[in-house]
Amino acid sequence: MAKRERVVRMSVEQPLWRALTGYRVLTMAYAVMVFVVGREQYERAWIAVAYLAVMCVWTLATLPMVANAASCTKRFLGADLTIALVGILLTPLADAQAQTVDGPTLPTIWTAGSVLAYALKGGWRWAGVASSLVAVANLVERGHPSRDTLHNVLLVWVASIAIGYVVEVARASERTLARALEIEAATRERERLARDIHDSVLQVLAMVKRRGAAMGGEAAEIARMAGEQEVALRTLVAGGLTRPSLVSEDESEGAVVRVVDVDDEPDDGTPVDLRLLIAPRAGAKVTLSEPGAPVLLPPPAARELAAAVGAALDNVRVHAGEDAHAWILVEDWPDEVIVTVRDDGPGIPEGRLAEAWGEGRMGVALSIRGRLRDLGGSAELISVPGQGTEVELKVPRGKAGQER
C-alpha cells in the first residue's frame, strides 16, 4: 500500500519570536534615549557612545535572525548575551559614579531581550543559565549588592524562567494537538476505506455466499468459503478503525503533524494493541470476545502471543474437524493478559500429547508453550474427551517487555 502523507506545520512560538524582535528595537531606542538625556554624567562618554553604536548595529543587523527561530543558533545566542554582559561591565568605566548610585547600565533593559531569547529557544533551563550570568555581571558592576540591584536581578531571573516554562508547556500542547489531528485524519481515511470495502468486496462476497448456498453441490463449498472470508474481512475492517496512528516529533520551527498510512507499524517499542493482531483470526467458525479498550503489550510480546493463539487455532482446524467451532476470549488484567482458546471438538485423548512428543510433533510444546515460556508466561491445556479443548495463555505484564 503506497504511503499517503500530509504535513501540517503550526507553531505558537513564532509570534513570540516576532514580539521579541519588536522588544529589542524598542529597548535599543530606550537605551540610546537614556544616554542622551543623562550624557553629562558620563566621565568617559566616548565609551558609552562606542558601545551603544555596536549594540544598535548588532540589533538592527540581527533582526531577520531573531524573527526566525531556526536562525537563532547557540553561537548567535552566545554572541548576543556576550554583548549584553560587556555593556553591563563597561558601565563603571563610562560612568565613575555608577557603583555608588543605582543608575541604569549602558544596555539598560535591552539585556532582558538576550535572556528571553534563551528562554524561547531552550526553555526554562537555558533561561536560568542566561539570567544567572546577567545577575553575576550586575553584581560585579555594582561592586556591592544594593536592594534595587537585587530586586532587578531577581525580577529578570524569575520572569525569564517563567517564560521558558510557558514555552515548554506550549510545545507539549502542540505535540498533543498534533497527535489528536493525526488520529482524526487517520480515522476519517479508514472510515472512507471501510465504506468502499463494504460497498464493493463485502457485497460481492455476500452475493456469492447466498447464490452458492442456493445452488448446492460444489457451489455450496464456495459459498461457505466466501462466507468465512466475508466475516474475516468485516472483523479486519472493524479492527482497523481503532488502529493507532503515527505522529512525528516537532521540528525547529514548530510541531509537524505527519499523517502516514502504512500497512505495518514500526517496531520502535511503542505498545501494540493485541486485539488488532488477533482480530484477523476471527471468522465464521471462530468467535472473538475482547475488551472495549486497547490491550497494550510490547511489540515482541504481542506478536508472540498472537502467534500462539494462531497455533492453537491451527490445532483446532487440524484435530477437531471442519465442523468444530472455536472461541477466543481476551482478558486484560492489571498484572497480566490472559487469552483463552476453546473449541467444541472431540478433545485430546489421554496420553496423546506425550505420544506426539515422542513422534517428533512438537506443535503444542514449542509453538504454544515455548512461546509463552520465552515471555515469562504460561500455557495451560485442559481437554476432556468428547467435551473439547481449552488452552489458557497467560503473559505477566512485568516480564512481557523483557528481551530474551
Side-chain angles (χ1 to χ4, degrees), residues 129-145:
V129 172
S131 59
S132 297
L133 293 175
V134 171
V136 172
N138 275 284
L139 295 177
V140 171
E141 182 266 334
R142 291 301 178 190
H144 63 283

PDB file of all heavy atoms in Angstrom, residues 129-145:
ATOM      1  N   VAL A 129      20.202  29.713  33.150  1.00  0.00           N
ATOM      2  CA  VAL A 129      21.647  29.923  32.976  1.00  0.00           C
ATOM      3  C   VAL A 129      21.936  31.349  32.514  1.00  0.00           C
ATOM      4  O   VAL A 129      22.811  32.033  33.063  1.00  0.00           O
ATOM      5  CB  VAL A 129      22.210  28.896  31.964  1.00  0.00           C
ATOM      6  CG1 VAL A 129      23.665  29.221  31.635  1.00  0.00           C
ATOM      7  CG2 VAL A 129      22.101  27.487  32.515  1.00  0.00           C
ATOM      8  N   ALA A 130      21.200  31.825  31.508  1.00  0.00           N
ATOM      9  CA  ALA A 130      21.444  33.170  30.973  1.00  0.00           C
ATOM     10  C   ALA A 130      21.153  34.244  32.013  1.00  0.00           C
ATOM     11  O   ALA A 130      21.940  35.195  32.191  1.00  0.00           O
ATOM     12  CB  ALA A 130      20.579  33.391  29.732  1.00  0.00           C
ATOM     13  N   SER A 131      20.045  34.125  32.725  1.00  0.00           N
ATOM     14  CA  SER A 131      19.703  35.133  33.733  1.00  0.00           C
ATOM     15  C   SER A 131      20.687  35.108  34.899  1.00  0.00           C
ATOM     16  O   SER A 131      20.970  36.150  35.503  1.00  0.00           O
ATOM     17  CB  SER A 131      18.281  34.909  34.234  1.00  0.00           C
ATOM     18  OG  SER A 131      18.140  33.609  34.795  1.00  0.00           O
ATOM     19  N   SER A 132      21.251  33.956  35.209  1.00  0.00           N
ATOM     20  CA  SER A 132      22.251  33.879  36.281  1.00  0.00           C
ATOM     21  C   SER A 132      23.532  34.609  35.876  1.00  0.00           C
ATOM     22  O   SER A 132      24.147  35.315  36.695  1.00  0.00           O
ATOM     23  CB  SER A 132      22.562  32.414  36.604  1.00  0.00           C
ATOM     24  OG  SER A 132      21.417  31.749  37.088  1.00  0.00           O
ATOM     25  N   LEU A 133      23.929  34.477  34.607  1.00  0.00           N
ATOM     26  CA  LEU A 133      25.113  35.208  34.133  1.00  0.00           C
ATOM     27  C   LEU A 133      24.876  36.714  34.173  1.00  0.00           C
ATOM     28  O   LEU A 133      25.773  37.488  34.547  1.00  0.00           O
ATOM     29  CB  LEU A 133      25.456  34.760  32.705  1.00  0.00           C
ATOM     30  CG  LEU A 133      25.939  33.300  32.560  1.00  0.00           C
ATOM     31  CD1 LEU A 133      26.134  32.962  31.090  1.00  0.00           C
ATOM     32  CD2 LEU A 133      27.232  33.095  33.343  1.00  0.00           C
ATOM     33  N   VAL A 134      23.678  37.139  33.801  1.00  0.00           N
ATOM     34  CA  VAL A 134      23.340  38.572  33.882  1.00  0.00           C
ATOM     35  C   VAL A 134      23.345  39.037  35.332  1.00  0.00           C
ATOM     36  O   VAL A 134      23.816  40.138  35.647  1.00  0.00           O
ATOM     37  CB  VAL A 134      21.965  38.821  33.220  1.00  0.00           C
ATOM     38  CG1 VAL A 134      21.504  40.251  33.484  1.00  0.00           C
ATOM     39  CG2 VAL A 134      22.042  38.549  31.725  1.00  0.00           C
ATOM     40  N   ALA A 135      22.858  38.206  36.244  1.00  0.00           N
ATOM     41  CA  ALA A 135      22.855  38.571  37.662  1.00  0.00           C
ATOM     42  C   ALA A 135      24.279  38.756  38.186  1.00  0.00           C
ATOM     43  O   ALA A 135      24.580  39.726  38.902  1.00  0.00           O
ATOM     44  CB  ALA A 135      22.130  37.491  38.459  1.00  0.00           C
ATOM     45  N   VAL A 136      25.183  37.845  37.816  1.00  0.00           N
ATOM     46  CA  VAL A 136      26.577  37.966  38.254  1.00  0.00           C
ATOM     47  C   VAL A 136      27.206  39.234  37.696  1.00  0.00           C
ATOM     48  O   VAL A 136      27.920  39.963  38.415  1.00  0.00           O
ATOM     49  CB  VAL A 136      27.376  36.722  37.815  1.00  0.00           C
ATOM     50  CG1 VAL A 136      28.866  36.909  38.074  1.00  0.00           C
ATOM     51  CG2 VAL A 136      26.873  35.483  38.546  1.00  0.00           C
ATOM     52  N   ALA A 137      26.950  39.534  36.418  1.00  0.00           N
ATOM     53  CA  ALA A 137      27.510  40.742  35.813  1.00  0.00           C
ATOM     54  C   ALA A 137      27.002  41.998  36.514  1.00  0.00           C
ATOM     55  O   ALA A 137      27.760  42.953  36.738  1.00  0.00           O
ATOM     56  CB  ALA A 137      27.166  40.782  34.325  1.00  0.00           C
ATOM     57  N   ASN A 138      25.734  42.033  36.875  1.00  0.00           N
ATOM     58  CA  ASN A 138      25.182  43.194  37.583  1.00  0.00           C
ATOM     59  C   ASN A 138      25.801  43.365  38.963  1.00  0.00           C
ATOM     60  O   ASN A 138      26.093  44.484  39.390  1.00  0.00           O
ATOM     61  CB  ASN A 138      23.660  43.045  37.705  1.00  0.00           C
ATOM     62  CG  ASN A 138      22.927  43.558  36.476  1.00  0.00           C
ATOM     63  OD1 ASN A 138      22.767  44.754  36.262  1.00  0.00           O
ATOM     64  ND2 ASN A 138      22.497  42.622  35.631  1.00  0.00           N
ATOM     65  N   LEU A 139      26.017  42.265  39.671  1.00  0.00           N
ATOM     66  CA  LEU A 139      26.625  42.349  40.996  1.00  0.00           C
ATOM     67  C   LEU A 139      28.068  42.812  40.897  1.00  0.00           C
ATOM     68  O   LEU A 139      28.535  43.606  41.732  1.00  0.00           O
ATOM     69  CB  LEU A 139      26.548  40.985  41.689  1.00  0.00           C
ATOM     70  CG  LEU A 139      25.130  40.483  42.023  1.00  0.00           C
ATOM     71  CD1 LEU A 139      25.190  39.091  42.636  1.00  0.00           C
ATOM     72  CD2 LEU A 139      24.436  41.449  42.986  1.00  0.00           C
ATOM     73  N   VAL A 140      28.792  42.357  39.871  1.00  0.00           N
ATOM     74  CA  VAL A 140      30.179  42.815  39.681  1.00  0.00           C
ATOM     75  C   VAL A 140      30.204  44.288  39.323  1.00  0.00           C
ATOM     76  O   VAL A 140      31.058  45.060  39.792  1.00  0.00           O
ATOM     77  CB  VAL A 140      30.855  41.966  38.593  1.00  0.00           C
ATOM     78  CG1 VAL A 140      32.214  42.552  38.215  1.00  0.00           C
ATOM     79  CG2 VAL A 140      31.016  40.533  39.063  1.00  0.00           C
ATOM     80  N   GLU A 141      29.271  44.713  38.475  1.00  0.00           N
ATOM     81  CA  GLU A 141      29.222  46.121  38.041  1.00  0.00           C
ATOM     82  C   GLU A 141      28.938  47.050  39.210  1.00  0.00           C
ATOM     83  O   GLU A 141      29.511  48.131  39.324  1.00  0.00           O
ATOM     84  CB  GLU A 141      28.155  46.271  36.954  1.00  0.00           C
ATOM     85  CG  GLU A 141      28.032  47.668  36.377  1.00  0.00           C
ATOM     86  CD  GLU A 141      26.953  48.497  37.079  1.00  0.00           C
ATOM     87  OE1 GLU A 141      26.022  47.877  37.621  1.00  0.00           O
ATOM     88  OE2 GLU A 141      27.065  49.738  37.079  1.00  0.00           O
ATOM     89  N   ARG A 142      28.062  46.623  40.132  1.00  0.00           N
ATOM     90  CA  ARG A 142      27.723  47.475  41.268  1.00  0.00           C
ATOM     91  C   ARG A 142      28.804  47.452  42.346  1.00  0.00           C
ATOM     92  O   ARG A 142      28.977  48.428  43.061  1.00  0.00           O
ATOM     93  CB  ARG A 142      26.391  47.017  41.876  1.00  0.00           C
ATOM     94  CG  ARG A 142      25.192  47.265  40.982  1.00  0.00           C
ATOM     95  CD  ARG A 142      25.021  48.720  40.643  1.00  0.00           C
ATOM     96  NE  ARG A 142      23.885  48.946  39.740  1.00  0.00           N
ATOM     97  CZ  ARG A 142      23.625  50.091  39.149  1.00  0.00           C
ATOM     98  NH1 ARG A 142      24.437  51.118  39.336  1.00  0.00           N
ATOM     99  NH2 ARG A 142      22.594  50.222  38.343  1.00  0.00           N
ATOM    100  N   GLY A 143      29.516  46.356  42.441  1.00  0.00           N
ATOM    101  CA  GLY A 143      30.539  46.264  43.474  1.00  0.00           C
ATOM    102  C   GLY A 143      29.994  45.818  44.809  1.00  0.00           C
ATOM    103  O   GLY A 143      30.660  45.127  45.568  1.00  0.00           O
ATOM    104  N   HIS A 144      28.784  46.217  45.121  1.00  0.00           N
ATOM    105  CA  HIS A 144      28.116  45.786  46.349  1.00  0.00           C
ATOM    106  C   HIS A 144      26.621  45.634  46.023  1.00  0.00           C
ATOM    107  O   HIS A 144      26.050  46.479  45.335  1.00  0.00           O
ATOM    108  CB  HIS A 144      28.305  46.809  47.474  1.00  0.00           C
ATOM    109  CG  HIS A 144      27.695  48.147  47.158  1.00  0.00           C
ATOM    110  ND1 HIS A 144      28.294  49.055  46.310  1.00  0.00           N
ATOM    111  CD2 HIS A 144      26.513  48.722  47.574  1.00  0.00           C
ATOM    112  CE1 HIS A 144      27.538  50.148  46.206  1.00  0.00           C
ATOM    113  NE2 HIS A 144      26.452  49.972  46.962  1.00  0.00           N
ATOM    114  N   PRO A 145      25.988  44.586  46.507  1.00  0.00           N
ATOM    115  CA  PRO A 145      24.576  44.352  46.168  1.00  0.00           C
ATOM    116  C   PRO A 145      23.630  45.262  46.931  1.00  0.00           C
ATOM    117  O   PRO A 145      23.416  45.093  48.129  1.00  0.00           O
ATOM    118  CB  PRO A 145      24.372  42.879  46.563  1.00  0.00           C
ATOM    119  CG  PRO A 145      25.373  42.630  47.639  1.00  0.00           C
ATOM    120  CD  PRO A 145      26.550  43.507  47.330  1.00  0.00           C
TER     121      PRO A 145
END
